Amino acid sequence: MANRSRVTIREVAERVGVHPSTVSRVLNPATRGRITPEIAEKVTKAANDLGYTPNQAARGLRTNRTRTIGVLIPDITNPLFPPIIRGIEDALGESGYTAIIGNTDNLAVRETEAVSTMRARQIDGLVLATARRDDPLVSQCVADGLPLVLVNRTADADGVSSIVNDDALGIALAVSHLKDLGHTKIAHIAGPLELSTGEARQRSFLEALQKEGLSPADCPVAETNAFSEDEGLRTAAELFAEGLSFTAIVAANDLIALGAYEAIADIGLRCPEDISVTGFNDMPFVDRLSPPLTTIRIPHYELGREAARRLVELIETPDSSARATTLRPELIVRGSTASPDR
Amino acid sequence: MANRSRVTIREVAERVGVHPSTVSRVLNPATRGRITPEIAEKVTKAANDLGYTPNQAARGLRTNRTRTIGVLIPDITNPLFPPIIRGIEDALGESGYTAIIGNTDNLAVRETEAVSTMRARQIDGLVLATARRDDPLVSQCVADGLPLVLVNRTADADGVSSIVNDDALGIALAVSHLKDLGHTKIAHIAGPLELSTGEARQRSFLEALQKEGLSPADCPVAETNAFSEDEGLRTAAELFAEGLSFTAIVAANDLIALGAYEAIADIGLRCPEDISVTGFNDMPFVDRLSPPLTTIRIPHYELGREAARRLVELIETPDSSARATTLRPELIVRGSTASPDR
DNA sequence: GTGAAAGCGCTAACAT
DNA sequence: ATGTTAGCGCTTTCAC
């Protein structure tokens, strides 16, 4: 291969003795048919020999399509997101697209910033894993006609495509599992209600109580300000401080569940002997905790794949309409849930 | 903001009544000085009003610099890498660069593929977290004059910049800690020797034994084929099967240490009562295992930051020379190490 | 079926 | 200090 990627379509054309546009036509699958097979053959060979690689910047400038998409993630360091990103990148790769990732740390400023850098790079579309229920960025993108898919979290605005897990099913599985074990007093530590996941899981918890015939009066709900271990600890501790007598906690996600573990240990109780705990997400290594965490497994990788596939569809079929898709989660029973003491 | 990013430098120029090149000069910090402040002011204002964002594709085409760099990672899903990526992206952002990430799953084909897509996208340089000691891709990039920085792992080839942790120090800390606890028979489960980390840690283990005055005859070394839990389990089990009498295991990384945990449990022993274990990396959540893992903490985020800074330097100061930098790791003592039974 | 020519948005000589 | 001009590498009309 020559120094850097400096072989141009012109050099290939000269080598074969045809016009650059002929080379372009050969190399573009859509127009290859119009070229005499014999010439096409020679061009292809010359391109390979010279180690030609198309300059995407030039192509993008001409076609107004960069085959690059932006992905906004709260924090790649949160083990929830890498599988989603993998799914996105793997699916994009299959369609010849590439992703640019931006971490926003859940900061609106950083989101705006990231989107403008990405737009400067002429992204063809955007996958947001950062959506809040009421998210100006979402409305902005919709207004600007930028192809957009939300993943993991959705937004209240309609007309937006989204791929999320079925929170209602997940929570129902958790509550039903606890009820089957004999729990009747179950607490819920909810995530932030400005996120669709926080709100949906809380709503689903209340619905599940009703479906299972459990009394909401015995089943307290507390809200956190973030899906974090610290907030889980703080909120669980508050719940205990109120002197309520629940025997199980449905945490809105695994990190909150970890916080609950600590709160339980702090007041001298044991999980699962005294209090059962369920999480949500099935993060890596929660099977190695003590006790191993009973949780709801979300197909994160598939969430990412689907989001990318949907986005490519949106980009390449401009008249395709927005759809909200939901993927099925699964209950994973481990050691953090058991029958309540009686 | 207008529909998509369609405002061009020409429209800004027309709005102000100057030539497009003037606008270009105002917007480029390096040439802004040559423009009358008054005009510069007007141009800046107009650009803002119109919501102008430079088209990076066009700029890149012209300047042959895209301010995009490629990052090759074995697998973003391995918790080791996200902090490195964060470090890279944060540092790049400060210099106006953007990263494209590629996962290679340690497959040479995927590495080659990824690099050629990235080159088609005219990357200005490459950060490799995938280097093997003998890595054709590394030599290739060096030969092609593509600015390159290796991170986490290095390669044997010289003339390449790299940012890695000080494996020798890390292993020395682990061995010395175990010796201080009273261990004299310490096993090492090495990583793959074709990776610099595997080889360096094994070599450093032998050096540390000597420094501590321990007998290599009492300190078996076994090699794995991968830095994985499965390989750790398999190799530790083999070590036990040979009937050796060591009281501690220095694992080449945390995943291998996890495998060792299992092997220890499988033969009915306990950690740390019967066998102490140390890891390497301090992955997230190893503090939550039972027992919490004593390990070597590597400044992953800093590794990434440094790598990106170095790469930008290499790109912007072409005559800057290759350097191998090493960052200090730290011993984190937790519950998996204790004095041996006597 | 292929060549000619224009132009995507920008920057960098060169001119004034 | 600013305008003129050309061209980065590619695709896409429009001719023939």
Side-chain angles (χ1 to χ4, degrees):
Chain A
M1 197 189 289
N3 212 19
R4 300 299 217 96
S5 93
R6 283 226 320 282
V7 183
T8 75
I9 219 170
R10 242 189 82 217
E11 296 170 58
V12 177
E14 278 169 10
R15 172 72 93 87
V16 183
V18 296
H19 195 270
S21 53
T22 304
V23 175
S24 169
R25 286 189 267 251
V26 172
L27 269 26
N28 184 334
T31 47
R32 174 180 233 134
R34 297 185 214 157
I35 305 297
T36 316
E38 219 172 275
I39 297 203
E41 184 78 9
K42 278 204 264 186
V43 168
T44 313
K45 186 175 178 313
N48 281 335
D49 289 354
L50 295 171
Y52 170 78
T53 35
N55 182 326
Q56 296 288 351
R59 183 191 295 224
L61 184 57
R62 185 61 235 244
T63 60
N64 237 337
R65 304 247 338 269
T66 54
R67 289 178 174 270
T68 300
I69 69 124
V71 179
L72 249 52
I73 299 283
D75 178 13
I76 196 183
T77 276
N78 179 336
L80 184 63
F81 297 109
I84 297 182
I85 298 176
R86 266 304 306 239
I88 293 175
E89 296 197 328
D90 287 354
L92 286 181
E94 290 166 12
S95 313
Y97 283 73
T98 302
I100 304 178
I101 316 285
N103 292 280
T104 65
D105 295 318
N106 284 313
L107 265 33
V109 242
R110 300 206 55 183
E111 288 171 18
T112 317
E113 260 177 41
V115 170
S116 56
T117 353
M118 287 176 175
R119 288 185 150 218
R121 288 175 190 271
Q122 313 299 117
I123 49 165
D124 293 338
L126 201 55
V127 174
L128 291 185
T130 55
R132 278 176 294 276
R133 284 174 53 214
D134 175 22
D135 196 325
L137 196 55
V138 171
S139 346
Q140 174 76 82
C141 291
V142 172
D144 292 356
L146 184 69
L148 175 69
V149 175
L150 309 182
V151 69
N152 187 46
R153 302 173 185 168
T154 186
D156 289 347
D158 41 31
V160 186
S161 280
S162 59
I163 321 281
V164 300
N165 92 94
D166 187 337
D167 284 312
L169 174 57
I171 291 292
L173 288 169
V175 172
S176 151
H177 165 63
L178 290 169
K179 163 129 193 265
D180 289 351
L181 287 172
H183 294 272
T184 54
K185 299 178 173 180
I186 306 174
H188 177 50
I189 304 186
L193 299 187
E194 73 266 23
L195 303 181
S196 68
T197 42
E199 190 275 336
R201 290 171 199 173
Q202 167 169 341
R203 186 165 29 79
S204 307
F205 177 75
L206 298 172
E207 287 165 7
L209 292 183
Q210 182 161 23
K211 205 174 56 188
E212 300 289 345
L214 298 172
S215 158
D218 292 335
C219 298
V221 172
E223 288 158 27
T224 57
N225 296 318
F227 278 115
S228 71
E229 199 170 336
D230 286 353
E231 276 292 292
L233 167 58
R234 184 183 67 72
T235 311
E238 276 179 24
L239 231 33
F240 287 127
E242 289 172 29
L244 303 162
S245 63
F246 52 88
T247 58
I249 296 178
V250 170
N253 83 349
D254 290 348
L255 290 172
I256 290 177
L258 286 190
Y261 272 21
E262 281 185 64
I264 291 170
D266 285 353
I267 58 166
L269 295 182
R270 290 157 309 157
C271 171
E273 293 83 351
D274 303 310
I275 305 268
S276 288
V277 173
T278 67
F280 208 111
N281 277 343
D282 194 26
M283 286 190 341
F285 300 104
V286 294
D287 56 331
R288 308 299 299 257
L289 300 175
S290 94
L293 183 65
T294 293
T295 188
I296 303 298
R297 177 178 295 165
I298 293 186
H300 294 293
Y301 179 81
E302 278 306 325
L303 236 42
R305 278 195 78 85
E306 261 308 297
R309 267 202 290 256
R310 178 70 54 80
L311 184 58
V312 170
E313 180 190 328
L314 238 40
I315 291 168
E316 303 193 338
T317 321
D319 51 333
S320 60
S321 61
R323 269 173 298 152
T325 299
T326 167
L327 264 40
R328 292 180 72 83
E330 183 186 356
L331 173 70
I332 306 291
V333 177
R334 300 203 183 94
S336 66
T337 46
S339 289
D341 288 344
R342 265 163 290 195
Chain B
M1 197 189 288
N3 212 19
R4 299 297 218 97
S5 93
R6 283 227 320 282
V7 183
T8 75
I9 218 169
R10 243 190 80 216
E11 296 170 57
V12 178
E14 276 168 12
R15 172 72 93 89
V16 183
V18 296
H19 196 271
S21 54
T22 304
V23 175
S24 170
R25 285 188 267 251
V26 172
L27 268 26
N28 183 336
T31 47
R32 174 180 234 136
R34 299 184 211 157
I35 304 297
T36 317
E38 219 172 275
I39 296 203
E41 183 78 9
K42 277 204 263 184
V43 168
T44 313
K45 185 174 180 311
N48 282 335
D49 288 355
L50 295 171
Y52 170 78
T53 37
N55 182 327
Q56 296 288 350
R59 183 193 295 228
L61 185 57
R62 184 63 237 239
T63 58
N64 236 337
R65 304 246 340 269
T66 54
R67 288 179 175 269
T68 300
I69 70 126
V71 179
L72 248 52
I73 299 283
D75 179 13
I76 196 184
T77 275
N78 178 335
L80 186 61
F81 297 109
I84 297 183
I85 298 175
R86 269 298 314 236
I88 292 174
E89 296 197 328
D90 288 354
L92 286 182
E94 290 165 13
S95 313
Y97 283 73
T98 302
I100 303 179
I101 316 285
N103 293 280
T104 66
D105 295 318
N106 284 315
L107 265 31
V109 244
R110 300 205 55 183
E111 288 172 18
T112 317
E113 259 176 40
V115 170
S116 53
T117 354
M118 287 175 173
R119 288 185 149 217
R121 287 174 189 272
Q122 313 301 115
I123 50 164
D124 292 339
L126 200 56
V127 174
L128 292 185
T130 55
R132 278 176 293 276
R133 284 174 51 213
D134 175 22
D135 196 325
L137 196 56
V138 172
S139 345
Q140 174 76 80
C141 292
V142 173
D144 292 354
L146 183 71
L148 175 69
V149 174
L150 308 182
V151 69
N152 187 44
R153 304 173 183 169
T154 185
D156 289 347
D158 41 32
V160 186
S161 280
S162 59
I163 320 282
V164 300
N165 91 94
D166 188 337
D167 284 313
L169 174 57
I171 291 292
L173 288 170
V175 172
S176 152
H177 165 63
L178 290 169
K179 166 133 191 261
D180 289 352
L181 287 173
H183 294 272
T184 55
K185 300 178 173 179
I186 305 175
H188 177 51
I189 304 186
L193 298 187
E194 73 265 22
L195 302 182
S196 69
T197 41
E199 190 275 336
R201 288 171 201 173
Q202 169 169 341
R203 186 165 30 79
S204 305
F205 178 74
L206 297 171
E207 287 166 7
L209 292 183
Q210 183 161 24
K211 204 175 56 190
E212 299 290 345
L214 297 173
S215 159
D218 292 336
C219 297
V221 173
E223 289 158 26
T224 57
N225 297 317
F227 278 115
S228 71
E229 199 171 337
D230 286 352
E231 276 292 291
L233 167 58
R234 184 184 68 73
T235 311
E238 276 178 25
L239 231 34
F240 287 127
E242 289 171 29
L244 302 161
S245 64
F246 53 87
T247 58
I249 296 177
V250 171
N253 84 347
D254 290 347
L255 290 173
I256 290 177
L258 286 190
Y261 272 22
E262 281 184 64
I264 291 169
D266 286 352
I267 58 167
L269 295 181
R270 289 157 308 157
C271 172
E273 292 82 352
D274 304 309
I275 305 268
S276 287
V277 173
T278 67
F280 208 109
N281 277 341
D282 195 25
M283 286 189 341
F285 299 104
V286 294
D287 56 330
R288 307 298 299 256
L289 301 175
S290 94
L293 183 66
T294 294
T295 189
I296 303 298
R297 177 177 296 166
I298 294 186
H300 291 115
Y301 179 81
E302 277 306 324
L303 237 41
R305 279 195 77 86
E306 261 308 295
R309 267 201 289 255
R310 179 69 55 79
L311 184 59
V312 170
E313 181 190 326
L314 238 39
I315 292 167
E316 302 192 339
T317 321
D319 52 332
S320 61
S321 61
R323 269 174 298 153
T325 299
T326 161
L327 264 40
R328 292 180 71 84
E330 183 186 356
L331 173 70
I332 306 292
V333 178
R334 299 203 182 95
S336 65
T337 47
S339 289
D341 288 345
R342 264 162 291 197

